[in-house]
Amino acid sequence: MNACAEAGQWLWPQALLLFHEMVEENLEPDAICYHSWLSVCGKAQQWQRALSSLREMCDHMLMPDTICYWNVMVACKCGGQWQQALSLLGEMRDKELEPDVPNYNAGVIACENQGQWRQALFLLSELHSAAVLQSLLCSAEWPRTSFLLLLLLPSPPSSLIPPPPCPSQPTLAPSPNL
């Protein structure tokens, strides 16, 4: 199933077949199997299957972690289901599972992709930990995050230093002739 997850959206039917064969053979899927399956669902934009599989995990007394939720949120984001992505963040908090940077990132982008800027700003305002906010600022989503923060904050806290430029982006050095 990991191979199907790595192959992305094109092999999700094979991963589904493997997952169902496990159940038919009375092999109880463990957390690792669910991680792989939810990853496949996320890459294949199968948000409904991802949500139902997350519920099945709980039925089997397996506690989903932030990675499981992230994979489901990615599926929701790709499927245009921003409300479901935000609902999952709330569910994580209800279960006393602290959402991490990838979870918030998936929620913000799910909102952004559907033009839900107010929701994205609200989500950013919910960030309680400066470390989480700093990590988000340093992530690959810095341009989106910085834009949203400019709308949200009158002035960014001085403790938040913008990340260095990516190695692939040239930096502009001042001209010695100036």
Side-chain angles (χ1 to χ4, degrees):
M1 199 167 337
N2 276 337
C4 294
E6 292 302 316
Q9 68 182 18
W10 308 112
L11 290 180
W12 76 265
Q14 288 78 2
L16 177 62
L17 181 64
L18 286 172
F19 196 76
H20 284 296
E21 283 178 6
M22 282 182 61
V23 174
E24 288 175 9
E25 295 293 325
N26 293 321
L27 297 172
E28 195 70 30
D30 61 6
I32 295 170
C33 291
Y34 275 104
H35 274 155
S36 297
W37 170 240
L38 292 172
S39 177
V40 169
C41 290
K43 291 175 182 173
Q45 304 176 20
Q46 297 292 313
W47 66 272
Q48 292 168 317
R49 289 183 194 276
L51 279 173
S52 66
S53 295
L54 188 69
R55 305 296 174 242
E56 284 175 20
M57 269 187 90
C58 296
D59 293 345
H60 291 136
M61 308 308 268
L62 296 170
M63 294 302 299
D65 59 10
T66 59
I67 297 169
C68 290
Y69 276 96
W70 176 77
N71 279 314
V72 178
M73 290 176 71
V74 166
C76 292
K77 171 190 70 123
C78 293
Q81 302 299 313
W82 65 271
Q83 302 97 329
Q84 288 292 338
L86 295 186
S87 176
L88 289 167
L89 282 171
E91 182 178 312
M92 289 176 73
R93 286 187 218 100
D94 291 345
K95 293 183 178 190
E96 298 182 8
L97 181 63
E98 186 65 32
D100 59 13
V101 172
N103 298 121
Y104 277 106
N105 203 20
V108 167
I109 295 170
C111 292
E112 178 201 3
N113 286 349
Q114 297 303 309
Q116 301 297 320
W117 290 102
R118 286 190 176 133
Q119 292 296 329
L121 290 171
F122 178 76
L123 187 57
L124 283 173
S125 74
E126 284 187 346
L127 293 173
H128 299 288
S129 164
V132 170
L133 184 55
Q134 181 69 34
S135 296
L136 183 59
L137 291 174
C138 293
S139 75
E141 299 304 327
W142 168 246
R144 289 178 175 159
T145 304
S146 62
F147 173 74
L148 292 173
L149 280 176
L150 288 174
L151 294 176
L152 180 65
L153 301 173
S155 62
S158 60
S159 63
L160 296 176
I161 302 167
C166 297
S168 62
Q169 297 175 340
T171 57
L172 297 175
S175 172
N177 298 333
L178 293 178

